Structure formats: C-alpha cells, structure tokens
Amino acid sequence: MGKNTVFADDIKEVVIDEEDLQERITELGKEITDSYSDDDDIVMLCILRGAVLFMADLAREIDLPVVFDFMDVSSYGASTESSGVVRIIKDMEENIEGRHLLIVEDIIDTGRTLKHVVDMLETRNPKSIKIVTLLDKPDRRVQKELDADFNGFEIPDKFVVGYGLDFAEKYRNLSFIGVLKEKLYI
Ligand code: IMP
Ligand code: MG
C-alpha cells in the first residue's frame, strides 16, 4: 500500500500507487519543460493545501528556472462537495504582470474553485496562464470551459485522498491516491 500504513484500515482501494504517480509526474515535468522557452520567466503557483506534495515533486522534474508562490483558497467545509463559494484565505506574493503563470492544482472536480482563481489572476495581466492538475474528474465538471493544459490522471467520480488530498484535513501524507471506505464520510 505504500510506506505509511497508519491509515491502511481506512482505505478501500488504491487508485494510483506511488510508482505510477512518480512516473507520470516525471512525464508531466518534461511536457511542461518543452512547452516553454529556456529564458521564460515562470511563476509556479501552488494552490494550498492539496497541491503541496505534487508541486514539490513536479518542480524537480521541470528543467527551467521557476519561482515558487502559494495561494490558499477554500471552497469546502468539511463536506465532500464544492460549495461554489470560493474564499481567498492567502493571496500570492509575486507580481505576475508580464510573466508566465503556471497554476499547480491537486484535482479539478466541479471546476468552480479554479475558475474563480483563474478569473481573478487574469485581471493581473500575466503573459500566459497554464494549469497543471494531478487529477481530473471530468464527469463532475460544471465549468465546461475550464480545462487543464496538463493533466496527470483522469479518475472516475469517487472521493479520493492521499498524496496531498484530504478528507477533513486527514490522509494528506499518504504516498498514493486511494478511495476511503464509505462509512468514514457518509
Ligand atoms: P472544485 O471546485 O469542485 O473543482 O473542487 C476543487 C477542490 O476540491 C480541490 O482543489 C480539492 O481541494 C477538493 N476536492 C475535490 N475533489 C476531491 C477529492 O476527491 N478528494 C479530496 N479533495 C477533493
Ligand atoms: Mg482541498
């Protein structure tokens, strides 16, 4: 199941194991590297908190000078359904005007959270905005126009945890992506 076994009893099934995650992240890093020029000025924006582990691993696979920044937004309470109400808890620090912005997200579900973030950041006139998401649940999308430029894995409509993703702030430190047993969140 992975190196951390503390939550083993809570996990119904492993959806993406550690090896497949790391292999795909290496590929994503190459795709992203190839999509920019060597002298591009790129700000990697990690959407807290779910994208932290992905950002850390992905950044090491991108062979370009990048700057790190972080933004914390909230669209969830402790439930598993996006509310559509997006709150900026912590804004980014970098001035992105005229610079390439690469938004790093853990999962696009309904798309509401990211749509709100992209609309807001567009008003700051970056040179380009690209989105990389580790996971995509296309069946759940309500923001049809919102798609990632780079997408790690398409997954079915199941609530997943691990590798940064939480349920009520737990399970983020699993090294794989798994589905929780229903009794834990229904
Ligand atoms: P959206 O606004 O519905 O696209 O929700 C996006 C955010 O909800 C993500 O950044 C995650 O933090 C969270 N989220 C969506 N689906 C899941 C899931 O299956 N597991 C854990 N968090 C999720
Ligand atoms: Mg989250």
Side-chain angles (χ1 to χ4, degrees), residues 77-93:
S79 109
T80 59
E81 170 77 40
S82 179
S83 63
V85 180
V86 179
R87 216 156 43 96
I88 305 289
I89 295 162
K90 182 211 170 295
D91 203 342
M92 63 187 302
E93 307 284 332

Side-chain angles (χ1 to χ4, degrees), residues 47 50 75-76 80 82 105-114 137 140 155 158-161 165-166:
I47 306 298
S75 62
Y76 275 30
T80 59
S82 179
E105 182 55 302
D106 54 356
I107 185 165
I108 306 181
D109 184 25
T110 63
R112 287 186 183 118
T113 308
L114 207 52
K137 280 186 199 168
R140 297 256 304 165
I155 60 164
K158 287 179 182 172
F159 192 79
V160 293
V161 295
L165 290 113
D166 71 306

Side-chain angles (χ1 to χ4, degrees), residues 133-173:
T133 187
L134 178 66
L135 306 175
D136 187 8
K137 280 186 199 168
D139 297 347
R140 297 256 304 165
R141 198 80 86 253
V142 293
Q143 300 288 351
K144 295 289 178 207
E145 71 274 32
L146 191 111
D147 271 318
D149 300 271
F150 310 97
N151 175 13
F153 301 87
E154 277 193 10
I155 60 164
D157 179 14
K158 287 179 182 172
F159 192 79
V160 293
V161 295
Y163 195 68
L165 290 113
D166 71 306
F167 173 67
E169 293 306 322
K170 266 172 74 178
Y171 309 106
R172 292 195 197 272
N173 61 324

Side-chain angles (χ1 to χ4, degrees), residues 13 20 22 27 32 35 37 49 54 59 86 103 136 139 145 149 151 154 167 177 183:
E13 127 198 36
D20 289 346
Q22 296 301 331
E27 288 172 9
I32 291 167
S35 78
S37 306
R49 301 169 205 171
F54 178 43
V86 179
I103 301 176
D136 187 8
D139 297 347
E145 71 274 32
D149 300 271
N151 175 13
E154 277 193 10
F167 173 67
I177 304 277
K183 65 173 167 60

Side-chain angles (χ1 to χ4, degrees), residues 39 52 77 127 184:
D39 55 353
V52 164
K127 193 166 180 182
L184 293 166

Side-chain angles (χ1 to χ4, degrees), residues 32-33 35-36 41-47 55 58 62 66-67 69 96 99-105 128-133 149-150:
I32 291 167
T33 303
S35 78
Y36 292 103
D41 179 19
I42 303 156
V43 179
M44 276 183 93
L45 177 62
C46 174
I47 306 298
M55 170 97 158
L58 179 66
I62 297 179
V66 296
V67 168
D69 207 343
I96 54 170
R99 306 171 77 186
H100 293 287
L101 181 67
L102 177 63
I103 301 176
V104 182
E105 182 55 302
S128 71
I129 299 185
K130 288 183 190 175
I131 299 167
V132 54
T133 187
D149 300 271
F150 310 97

